[in-house]
Amino acid sequence: MSLRLYFHPLSSFCQKALVALYENDTPFERRIVDLGDETSRAAFLAVWPIGKFPVLRDERRDRTIPESSIIIEYLHAHYPGPTMLLPDDADGALQVRLWDRFYDQHVNEPMQAVVADRLRPDGRKDPFGVEKAKARLQASYAVIEREMATRTWAAGEAFSMADCAAAPALFYADKVMPFGDAHANMARYFARLRERPSYARARAEAEPYFHLFPDDAGASAG
Ligand SMILES: N[C@@H](CCC(=O)N[C@@H](CS)C(=O)NCC(=O)O)C(=O)O
């Protein structure tokens, strides 16, 4: 098999890449990385010294591709399928990239900041950082609520790379700062995402690991 994905099923950025792979039924070898295991971690760092997943390895073309958006762009360019994760027209592609960046930077990253703080030891927590991250999430929710009043998917009427980014980011964001009644359009959009078979599959595969997700008190849930 030409493609190998280094990932962890619980990771939001990894689920983003998995959704893209599942959308087009792209065959790939699965390599689960356990960063807590020295051997697994060392093997992964040999592939990508930055140590962030997902990373795609394409043996046929001898390429190593980190960064979830670049992975999806790469799949689109070299392993396309029936779901066009980026449209052909330049303006449409820019919209997809914009909303992909938006969900990564303004939803996923602040959500991760809140979660990371829960994992910090007592005395090393950063309440000011958490407050700022939650304020960023609040601003993002308002933008999503406005945008999703008139759209089916994140960048328009077609499912795209932006939805691959949005689904796992919103799932975990809702856990750290629930959408609430003021975000009905966003909640409806997320309900559509949950029903999308590609994301439903990635989420189901993460379920056995959900107990590792830290709850509000900092302990792992479940
Ligand atoms: N910009 C990167 C972000 C990747 C990222 O933050 N991955 C997290 C998991 S969701 C990770 O590798 N965390 C492990 C660590 O930071 O040690 C992408 O889009 O792939």
Side-chain angles (χ1 to χ4, degrees):
M1 202 173 299
S2 176
L3 298 176
R4 182 184 318 125
L5 187 73
Y6 294 84
F7 74 108
H8 191 281
L10 194 60
S11 143
S12 49
F13 283 104
C14 295
Q15 288 175 24
K16 172 179 163 184
L18 287 170
V19 171
L21 287 158
Y22 294 158
E23 273 296 321
N24 282 322
D25 237 343
T26 311
F28 68 101
E29 180 197 330
R30 314 163 77 86
R31 191 68 60 88
I32 293 185
V33 178
D34 178 357
L35 291 173
D37 174 89
E38 223 171 279
T39 310
S40 178
R41 184 186 187 87
F44 180 54
L45 288 177
V47 175
W48 180 233
I50 297 299
K52 295 258 184 199
F53 40 48
V55 172
L56 186 72
R57 172 73 194 155
D58 186 348
E59 292 298 344
R60 184 173 65 83
R61 304 187 72 250
D62 192 19
R63 300 286 160 87
T64 299
I65 306 110
E67 291 294 325
S68 55
S69 300
I70 309 303
I71 290 172
I72 296 176
E73 295 249 9
Y74 183 88
L75 292 170
H76 175 73
H78 298 290
Y79 297 87
T83 304
M84 290 268 290
L85 295 168
L86 275 147
D88 281 336
D89 72 294
D91 286 335
L94 273 186
Q95 279 301 303
V96 167
R97 292 188 178 104
L98 166 65
W99 291 105
D100 171 70
R101 299 293 70 233
F102 179 91
Y103 280 101
D104 275 11
Q105 293 174 357
H106 304 309
V107 180
N108 212 335
E109 286 178 12
M111 173 279 291
Q112 280 190 335
V114 177
V115 174
D117 194 74
R118 290 178 181 179
L119 295 169
R120 286 184 179 194
D122 284 343
R124 313 260 328 246
K125 297 203 183 280
D126 175 17
F128 182 64
V130 169
E131 205 180 297
K132 271 175 59 181
K134 286 193 170 175
R136 271 176 74 196
L137 273 179
Q138 195 65 54
S140 303
Y141 284 9
V143 171
I144 297 167
E145 181 62 14
R146 189 189 66 207
E147 295 294 323
M148 295 318 295
T150 53
R151 287 189 209 148
T152 305
W153 299 110
E157 291 313 295
F159 188 93
S160 73
M161 171 166 73
D163 301 292
C164 301
L170 288 176
F171 174 76
Y172 289 116
D174 186 44
K175 294 211 174 304
V176 304
M177 206 175 77
F179 301 159
D181 294 340
H183 301 103
N185 297 327
M186 184 162 106
R188 275 193 289 274
Y189 168 50
F190 185 59
R192 286 194 286 283
L193 288 170
R194 282 184 86 117
E195 281 175 16
R196 189 86 180 178
S198 56
Y199 173 60
R201 180 174 171 191
R203 190 184 158 282
E205 289 171 355
E207 254 169 39
Y209 301 91
F210 278 170
H211 65 281
L212 297 173
F213 186 84
D215 66 19
D216 216 354
S220 291

